Amino acid sequence: MLEFVDRPDCPPPAAQEVLVDVRAIGVNRADVAFRSGHYLVQPSPPCGLGIEGAGVVRAVGAGVTRFTAGQRVCILPGFLQGGAYATYATAGLFPAASLIETPGGLDDRQAAALWVSALTAWGALVELARLAPGDFALISAASSSVGLAAIEVARAVGAIPIATTRNPAKVAELLAAGATEVVVGDHSAVAGPISDITGPAGLRIAFDPIAGRFAEALVPCMGEEGIIFIYGGLSDEPTRFDRRAMIAKGISLTGYMLGQVLRRPERLERGRGFVLDHLEKGTLTPRIDRSFPLASAAEAHRYMESNAQLGKIVLTV
Ligand SMILES: NC(=O)c1ccc[n+]([C@@H]2O[C@H](COP(=O)([O-])OP(=O)(O)OC[C@H]3O[C@@H](n4cnc5c(N)ncnc54)[C@H](OP(=O)(O)O)[C@@H]3O)[C@@H](O)[C@H]2O)c1
């Protein structure tokens, strides 16, 4: 259940904390999964919700030197969902280490829609997999906010993004968003068309938040020493990989979390540089599907669960 609670104004920020007037909130599948008890950690109500947002600094605590009152900032998930910090709020305290200055030229909604999707895609495709020009990259559930960012990141490094969706109505928009090919279907329908596209080279990487039988179906599509990133569990099914096929081609299977970028300052700095560079070139864009007022957060969650979206859902304050 989502419920709004009136709280007395926030206490002053403690050391290394920043008080932010929140202007926009990026809705992530993790919020929906946490609310419904399907996330990595279970909610213990009453607790807050939300890990991404944008706003304006109202005050800074002792030891905070990077931010000053009045500055526009983006809030990144440098804290646990449902813990001491939460972005579904009109104002909140956040660890200074979880904030980044808002890039020039972005409005608050765009600022709240940028970092989780762009850095999640960059971390796997560029930082870990070193995706190279001409590589085939499978982006499954490509209409998600992370999927759309992954299409742009793959294009930015000269790779060939192949998108998947279950919804034929999304094909034209995925092509317009930069996918070289779009494969439509569930686990039973995608392997043949993907292999027809890649030919014998196969996929260099599969970037998959679905898991279950969908991820299993990707194994025959992988190229020699290809990497399967599992970064979500949209299907909720058990995932059983064919070890013989994995061994025969030296395929790597890895779990992946944005935390692998956020917890390493030098990695975060490289990712920030990539994102800012491509924002400026226009080759990376925060894609907002729809906005809701914060008071309609429940409706925004229902909309996300409908899977009709193509890009980020944002709440505005
Ligand atoms: N590991 C990390 O650090 C990290 C960070 C960010 C996000 N994520 C994960 O990335 C995924 C996308 O997040 P998001 O917030 O960008 O999602 P989103 O905007 O809610 O998009 C989800 C899309 O996935 C597809 N989908 C939903 N359920 C599916 C199912 N059972 N089987 C196949 N496709 C399904 C739908 O597209 P179609 O209807 O077009 O198929 C839907 O539009 C989530 O699993 C999320 O938890 C992980």
Side-chain angles (χ1 to χ4, degrees):
M1 185 172 88
L2 288 180
E3 190 183 16
F4 287 95
V5 181
D6 275 330
R7 287 254 175 91
D9 212 3
C10 290
Q16 299 302 337
E17 277 187 342
V18 177
L19 175 55
V20 178
D21 285 312
V22 178
R23 296 278 163 80
I25 297 138
V27 178
N28 284 285
R29 201 75 178 197
D31 310 344
V32 169
F34 180 75
R35 189 213 75 229
S36 57
H38 293 97
Y39 192 56
L40 302 172
V41 289
Q42 289 299 308
S44 51
C47 56
L49 190 63
I51 50 173
E52 185 174 27
V56 178
V57 172
R58 198 195 302 173
V60 301
V64 176
T65 52
R66 283 192 305 131
F67 303 105
T68 52
Q71 192 175 356
R72 295 176 66 222
V73 288
C74 299
I75 306 157
L76 277 66
F79 46 88
L80 282 182
Q81 180 77 271
Y85 306 103
T87 56
Y88 284 39
T90 53
L93 294 168
F94 297 97
S98 68
L99 304 179
I100 284 186
E101 188 181 351
T102 297
L106 294 192
D107 63 27
D108 291 323
R109 291 183 330 135
Q110 293 169 318
L114 173 68
W115 291 104
V116 167
S117 46
L119 282 179
T120 301
W122 171 85
L125 273 55
V126 179
E127 178 76 357
L128 297 178
R130 307 265 174 233
L131 201 61
D135 284 346
F136 288 105
L138 185 83
I139 316 293
S140 49
S143 62
S144 72
S145 58
V146 180
L148 289 169
I151 289 173
E152 291 190 318
V153 168
R155 278 232 169 237
V157 298
I160 303 164
I162 303 170
T164 76
T165 175
R166 299 166 302 174
N167 185 348
K170 292 181 178 177
V171 170
E173 282 185 85
L174 287 170
L175 290 170
T180 305
E181 302 270 1
V182 181
V183 174
V184 181
D186 64 8
H187 68 276
S188 64
V190 294
I194 293 169
S195 292
D196 287 346
I197 294 164
T198 67
L203 295 169
R204 169 75 214 302
I205 74 149
F207 186 56
D208 178 49
I210 302 171
R213 284 179 293 172
F214 189 92
E216 293 167 21
L218 300 178
V219 171
C221 310
M222 301 307 296
E224 185 94 9
E225 296 190 347
I227 307 170
I228 301 174
F229 286 94
I230 302 286
Y231 71 99
L234 288 166
S235 86
D236 248 358
E237 296 167 349
T239 314
R240 299 189 182 88
F241 283 101
D242 176 351
R243 68 178 183 283
R244 279 164 294 212
M246 305 275 295
I247 292 166
K249 285 195 259 180
I251 296 165
S252 302
L253 167 67
T254 179
Y256 170 69
M257 273 297 277
L258 173 58
Q260 292 170 247
V261 174
L262 300 181
R263 285 193 293 269
R264 292 172 174 79
E266 72 294 349
R267 204 174 253 181
L268 176 57
E269 202 42 43
R270 282 195 290 277
R272 194 169 83 108
F274 180 97
V275 171
L276 294 178
D277 181 34
H278 286 282
L279 259 183
E280 201 171 311
K281 288 178 178 151
T283 40
L284 196 60
T285 41
R287 288 174 185 270
I288 296 167
D289 175 272
R290 199 166 151 188
S291 300
F292 296 81
L294 175 58
S296 302
E299 198 189 330
H301 275 215
R302 278 192 286 272
Y303 180 61
M304 179 170 267
E305 286 166 314
S306 79
N307 294 315
Q309 72 273 24
L310 225 146
K312 198 87 177 182
I313 300 165
V314 173
L315 301 173
T316 52
V317 177

